[in-house]
Structure formats: C-alpha cells, structure tokens
Amino acid sequence: MLSAARIMQRCDSLARHSELPGGLTRVFLSREYRAAADEVIGWMREAGMRAELDAIGNVAGRYEGNRPGAPCLMLGSHLDTVRDAGRYDGMLGVIAAIECVAALAGKGRRLPFAIEVLGFGDEEGVRFGTSMFGSRGVSGTLDPAVLEARDAKGVTLREALREFGLNPARAPQVVRKKGEVLAYAELHIEQGPLLEAEGLPVGVVSAINGFSRLRATLHGEAGHAGTVPMHLRRDALAAAAECVLAIERIARSDPGLVGTVGRIEAKPGAINVIPGEVQFTIDFRAPRDALREEAVRSAATAVQQIAAARRLRCEVQKIQELGVTACAPWLIEQFERAVAAEGLRARRLPSGAGHDGQAIQAIADVAMLFVRCKGGISHNPAESITEADAGAGARTLLGFIEHFEARS
Ligand code: GLV
Ligand code: MN
Ligand code: MN
C-alpha cells in the first residue's frame, strides 16, 4: 500500500541531515550527504531493492523485473540541496519512487522490466559550481575536467570523491548504455505557481528550459578608500553593480527569458578598501535555445563595454550549458493516461527549473510529473506541499509504472 504519510515523514527525516542549524543545506559529498544517502539506501533495501552508493556518489537502487537483468525504467531525482533549501526539491522524487517500488513489492508484483531508482548527487552544483555531476556521470556526458573544479575551501571534486571513500577512476563504471534504460521518469515539485493557480495537484511536463551559466571576473585596482579621488578609481564592485543591472535589462527583454546574478564576491572585501577584483555568476534560462544564446552574447558584450568604460580588465567564461530538453511525447501520453486514471485533468506545463533529465536524455527519453507546491515557492525554506498532493503524485507515478509500455 502506497503511503503518502510515509513520503512526508521521509522528506522530514532527510531534512535533518543538514549543515545549517535550523535549516537545510546539504552539499554533495558532505557528512550530511553521507547520512542522507545511507538513510535512502536503507529505505530502498526495505522496499525490496538492491541498493548501494555508486562509484561517483549517487544512490542507486534496483528492483528486478520478472526476468533478471532486464532493461530498466529509471526513476529518481537528487539528494543534494541548495543553501537554506526546502525539503522537497529533489528528495520528493526519490522518496516517491521508492514508495512506488515498495507498493509493487508489497503486492509481490514484478514487471517485464526492472525499475531503478537513482538519488543523484550534485544536481544543484552548489559545492563545486558544476551541476548534475551524478546524472552526467550516468549518461556518459561528464567532462573529466569537472573533477578539477574546486569548492570554496580549494578542495577539488576529485579529492572530495576520494575523501568520501570513492575512486574517481571508477567513474566509467556508472555509465549506462542506450538500450539499458527504457525511459527516465522523474517526479518533482513544480517550483512555480501554475498548478496552484489552476487547482491541480499534478501536471505533466512538456519540456525543460535550457540554461547557460557564466562566471565573470572584473579586474580593477584595490586602493585606499580615504585617499583615492573618485575620478581616479578603478572600482571593480561599482562596475559589477552596473553589470548586474545590464543583465537584468537583458533578461527583461523577452517574457520567456530569465536571468540571475546569484553570487558575487568582492576582493579584498574590507570597509576601507576599494574593491580591486569582483567575480560574479550569471544564470540564463529560456524555453528556446536561440533566445538564451542571444542573451549570453548580449551579457558578455555588456560586461566588456562596462569594464572598458571604467578602465577595467574582464573575463567572461561559460561554466555550464544545457539546451532545452523536450519530454518525449510517448511518455507524456502515458503520464497523461495515469493522471486521467486518478480522475484528474492532465495539464501540460514547461519546467523553468533544471533537472537531471537534461543529462539523462543522452541515453534515454525523459518525462516528468510535477506536484503542486505552495505559492510556487522553491529554493527557499518555505517550500511546502500537502500530504494529499504527495499521495496524488505518487499514485500517478505508480499508475504510470504499472502501465508503462516501452517503445518497441
Ligand atoms: C536546479 O534547481 C536549477 O534549476 O538550478
Ligand atoms: Mn533545485
Ligand atoms: Mn530539483
């Protein structure tokens, strides 16, 4: 029997594994990430799955079909969080998938395909600045250069994997081949307000918006805040302020486009020193690749022009990019049938947020089911869902699994 109450309890339980007292921050390969992974592995085993931490830090569980070794329907989401996060972004998809497997196992039901549930590590990319490490690893699209990415303390991802007891040289072991994975289906909170506005507990995702992430560095000149006259300054932070506003203007130029400067660091960072160097991130998302690419070009030009006008040197570097990922029509239709079987209207909607499916689509067609969240609020501790909606989402996912027909 599928239990919505247990899904909610487990989301609460995982939220305890946090480096932020009184809140939730759980970055990849941290002590808290280990504790969450261990708890999830325990739940998977309890649900009748074989489960382990894979070679790159994902939690991987498998429930065999009626023929051992059969290709799988892959389900899952991520177990890492942003800073001061909500407790459903990512975790709900992993926990709901385990609940579906437990319901099948409880009925003694094996399907003509295996089910794998992945709890991906590092979807958010908070610690090393490169997102979807786990799902890129599984899809064979990992750029080995990301192993050299450093966290704020200067630890590389390669070192962190070793410290966690993993061997980065084994990364190729987790790569799945096309054909081994029949499809990838992820349940996730909507993180936006549409379902709530329309009074619907779930929705079927049509496509995931693409994203581009850049890092800009402005090199000015540090100096004494009391002695250098304003007209002689080369203040990198004042230039960055202009850049932030220029990026906001670019992002506002089209209703489909969004752009964010989410992180900024000024050096040396003292009240009485003119900032000599500033680094900031830029994140653009759009439902069309051309629109996003144009925004990236405009932002790079704007930063260069602002820097030049203030006699600063600048670098703008692309750190990550993934194009728009269309969900597969044959999977959308199967999800829509599962939604209808629950007596609900099947609303299609795009995803503004990024998801592991964007990486997994290199090896399998992908689909997503969204669950309504309160006020559309996410990446915020106020993230909230109801037990009834968690139940509706999980029942819909179970219906999708039980009636899943692989494309021949
Ligand atoms: C992941 O949550 C993202 O869209 O940044
Ligand atoms: Mn997120
Ligand atoms: Mn997420």
Side-chain angles (χ1 to χ4, degrees):
M1 248 303 259
L2 203 150
S3 166
R6 184 160 65 174
I7 292 173
M8 299 301 276
Q9 280 157 16
R10 288 181 169 179
C11 289
D12 293 345
S13 186
L14 284 189
R16 290 180 297 122
H17 305 304
S18 167
E19 72 184 57
L20 177 71
L24 173 56
T25 298
R26 186 170 60 241
V27 300
F28 188 41
L29 301 178
S30 59
R31 207 158 24 115
E32 298 77 24
Y33 182 80
R34 160 86 66 194
D38 285 347
E39 193 164 22
V40 170
I41 288 171
W43 295 334
M44 285 177 166
R45 290 181 180 156
E46 214 178 281
M49 310 177 83
R50 207 171 62 230
E52 58 175 18
L53 199 67
D54 76 11
I56 58 167
N58 297 311
V59 171
R62 182 172 165 102
Y63 180 72
E64 288 295 346
N66 49 24
R67 181 170 56 84
C72 72
L73 170 61
M74 187 180 279
L75 311 173
S77 193
H78 57 98
L79 295 174
D80 65 318
T81 72
V82 291
R83 295 200 184 283
D84 205 6
R87 60 187 55 190
Y88 304 104
D89 174 4
M91 286 69 77
L92 179 67
V94 180
I95 291 168
I98 296 170
E99 195 62 33
C100 290
V101 172
L104 290 171
K107 293 192 261 186
R109 181 135 195 235
R110 300 272 170 189
L111 298 163
F113 49 87
I115 298 174
E116 293 197 11
V117 179
L118 272 290
F120 291 113
D122 203 37
E123 189 265 0
E124 303 284 9
V126 167
R127 179 165 174 193
F128 298 97
T130 57
S131 61
M132 297 187 200
F133 175 75
S135 45
R136 283 173 195 261
V138 167
S139 65
T141 56
L142 203 58
D143 174 358
V146 304
L147 289 169
E148 311 315 324
R150 289 181 190 275
D151 69 6
K153 294 192 180 125
V155 179
T156 65
L157 180 42
R158 183 190 298 281
E159 289 161 352
L161 285 164
R162 285 215 189 91
E163 275 166 29
F164 205 73
L166 300 170
N167 181 355
R170 297 225 180 100
Q173 288 179 358
V174 308
V175 179
R176 309 303 302 265
K177 290 188 207 67
K178 274 193 181 155
E180 289 176 6
V181 181
L182 301 170
Y184 173 72
E186 175 168 347
L187 178 149
H188 201 284
I189 55 165
E190 182 197 349
Q191 305 180 279
L194 275 181
L195 294 175
E196 187 177 71
E198 295 185 21
L200 296 170
V202 298
V204 181
V205 177
S206 52
I208 308 170
N209 285 359
F211 67 82
S212 299
R213 289 181 176 160
L214 318 173
R215 183 184 300 120
T217 312
L218 297 169
H219 304 272
E221 189 170 31
H224 198 295
T227 60
V228 185
M230 295 309 286
H231 71 285
L232 292 180
R233 293 185 180 204
R234 292 167 59 221
D235 183 331
L237 188 53
E242 274 194 55
C243 293
V244 173
L245 294 179
I247 289 157
E248 189 185 44
R249 266 194 304 279
I250 291 164
R252 283 186 174 169
S253 65
D254 186 290
L257 185 65
V258 289
T260 306
V261 175
R263 194 182 159 88
I264 187 159
E265 193 187 0
K267 288 185 188 162
I271 193 167
N272 57 352
V273 183
I274 300 163
E277 186 183 307
V278 169
Q279 202 166 75
F280 59 93
T281 57
I282 309 170
D283 176 310
F284 278 118
R285 321 271 181 126
R288 286 183 288 116
D289 289 333
L291 177 60
R292 195 188 71 251
E293 285 157 8
E294 176 58 31
V296 167
R297 281 192 292 274
S298 305
T301 306
V303 172
Q304 276 148 12
Q305 285 171 349
I306 291 163
R310 290 170 165 268
R311 298 178 297 119
L312 267 60
R313 204 158 53 72
C314 74
E315 289 134 31
V316 181
Q317 188 195 356
K318 200 177 275 179
I319 41 182
Q320 212 176 10
E321 191 163 62
L322 275 171
V324 176
T325 300
C327 291
W330 66 279
L331 293 171
I332 291 178
E333 282 159 22
Q334 293 192 32
F335 255 129
E336 286 179 341
R337 282 202 287 275
V339 173
E342 282 299 306
L344 299 166
R345 177 161 75 83
R347 161 73 147 105
R348 283 191 200 188
L349 73 172
S351 171
H355 298 287
D356 288 298
Q358 287 172 285
I360 298 296
Q361 59 106 18
I363 48 160
D365 282 346
V366 306
M368 290 192 75
L369 181 73
F370 272 171
V371 172
R372 163 170 61 187
C373 65
K374 191 172 174 202
I377 294 169
S378 183
H379 283 190
N380 185 315
E383 208 172 74
S384 173
I385 63 168
T386 64
E387 184 176 310
D389 287 358
R395 280 194 306 276
T396 305
L397 181 63
L398 181 59
F400 169 85
I401 296 167
E402 289 190 297
H403 296 96
F404 175 70
E405 277 180 41
R407 204 154 68 153
S408 44

